[in-house]
Amino acid sequence: AQSVTQLDSHVSVSEGTPVLLRCNYSSSYSPSLFWYVQHPNKGLQLLLKYTSAATLVKGINGFEAEFKKSETSFHLTKPSAHMSDAAEYFCVVTLMNTGFQKLVFGTGTRLLVSP
Amino acid sequence: DTAVSQTPKYLVTQMGNDKSIKCEQNLGHDTMYWYKQDSKKFLKIMFSYNNKELIINETVPNRFSPKSPDKAHLNLHINSLELGDSAVYFCASSRGQGGLNTEAFFGQGTRLTVV
């Protein structure tokens, strides 16, 4: 069955330092993977998606993620954190159900950015 | 120009009441969803509709009844509200049948509090 595991419930970084949010997936077929971000009291916004076209995926706000099949990972990175990056981040895999998709969410990682 | 809009944003109600949450998307998408986010931020799909037809029903209590009058609207009606129904409910939409590589666009969420 398709699932994702986000290894850290909280990640704390200082402004200007790199960000690494870890995600491992389990899938019986070539997966589609997404990262979504949720700012406090806001909806979910797509950061980036992997659809097998390229293993390194660039998203919005300077984020990128690398799909590594051998490690079944799809970690999210950013070279330099900004205060506005503080939010909840969700790694998501697509599960197909009778020809229709549903998104299976990880448990989320809260990114805290200190000055 | 909100793509997926939900009303109301906040809903506080007493146990036993019946309430509805409305969702509209102006993206021309064929597939719409309801997701529930619990107090630990975990997101799980409840329902999915494609062109007004129910596609996915994830073992949700039958007190929850989605209704799709047209493909741009998916409303959620909840009967006999219970304390455990308190959560944030997100509406989302995606194009086509929501295939493997298709991201979902989310509304801002409705925070339901049952007292």
Side-chain angles (χ1 to χ4, degrees):
Chain A
Q2 267 64 353
S3 67
V4 288
T5 302
Q6 293 184 245
L7 299 158
D8 307 296
S9 59
H10 293 82
V11 169
S12 294
V13 300
S14 299
E15 191 174 22
T17 64
V19 175
L20 170 64
L21 305 183
R22 297 183 293 167
C23 173
N24 285 94
Y25 70 90
S26 170
S27 178
S28 54
Y29 47 76
S30 184
S32 282
L33 293 157
F34 306 83
W35 277 99
Y36 279 84
V37 61
Q38 184 180 22
H39 287 93
N41 298 315
K42 300 283 188 183
L44 292 141
Q45 182 183 19
L46 179 70
L47 272 179
L48 49 80
K49 68 177 182 181
Y50 166 74
T51 59
S52 77
T55 56
L56 183 62
V57 183
K58 293 188 184 299
I60 62 171
N61 301 334
F63 283 94
E64 61 183 38
E66 186 171 8
F67 175 75
K68 291 187 177 180
K69 186 175 181 180
S70 60
E71 299 176 9
T72 61
S73 68
F74 190 56
H75 301 333
L76 182 71
T77 60
K78 183 173 180 177
S80 176
H82 192 273
M83 294 296 290
S84 61
D85 294 328
E88 192 89 21
Y89 292 79
F90 294 94
C91 184
V92 181
V93 67
T94 298
L95 171 64
M96 295 304 292
N97 183 340
T98 61
F100 294 91
Q101 75 146 350
K102 64 177 182 180
L103 302 179
V104 178
F105 282 77
T107 49
T109 298
R110 177 160 294 181
L111 177 64
L112 305 166
V113 183
S114 55
Chain B
D1 273 30
T2 305
V4 182
S5 59
Q6 298 177 226
T7 54
K9 189 172 181 180
Y10 300 97
L11 185 53
V12 180
T13 188
Q14 290 186 326
M15 282 175 52
N17 284 351
D18 303 338
K19 290 294 177 185
S20 292
I21 306 172
K22 295 186 176 182
C23 178
E24 176 182 5
Q25 54 94 3
N26 63 6
L27 297 166
H29 289 167
D30 293 318
T31 304
M32 295 185 73
Y33 312 83
W34 279 109
Y35 283 82
K36 179 180 179 180
Q37 185 175 44
D38 64 21
S39 58
K40 296 184 178 179
K41 299 283 189 181
F42 183 64
L43 276 144
K44 189 175 180 197
I45 191 169
M46 300 173 68
F47 301 102
S48 172
Y49 272 72
N50 178 261
N51 280 320
K52 305 190 298 175
E53 298 294 324
L54 179 66
I55 300 302
I56 295 173
N57 181 339
E58 285 286 301
T59 60
V60 177
N62 57 17
R63 297 182 296 104
F64 290 79
S65 52
K67 284 187 172 52
S68 182
D70 55 62
K71 74 174 192 178
H73 295 82
L74 179 61
N75 304 322
L76 184 65
H77 188 75
I78 315 170
N79 290 325
S80 304
L81 277 154
E82 301 177 356
L83 293 176
D85 297 331
S86 295
V88 181
Y89 293 84
F90 285 98
C91 178
S93 71
S94 60
R95 55 182 170 78
Q97 293 185 352
L100 197 59
N101 298 331
T102 308
E103 67 265 35
F105 293 79
F106 285 81
Q108 293 295 297
T110 296
R111 183 176 294 276
L112 171 66
T113 303
V114 182
V115 297

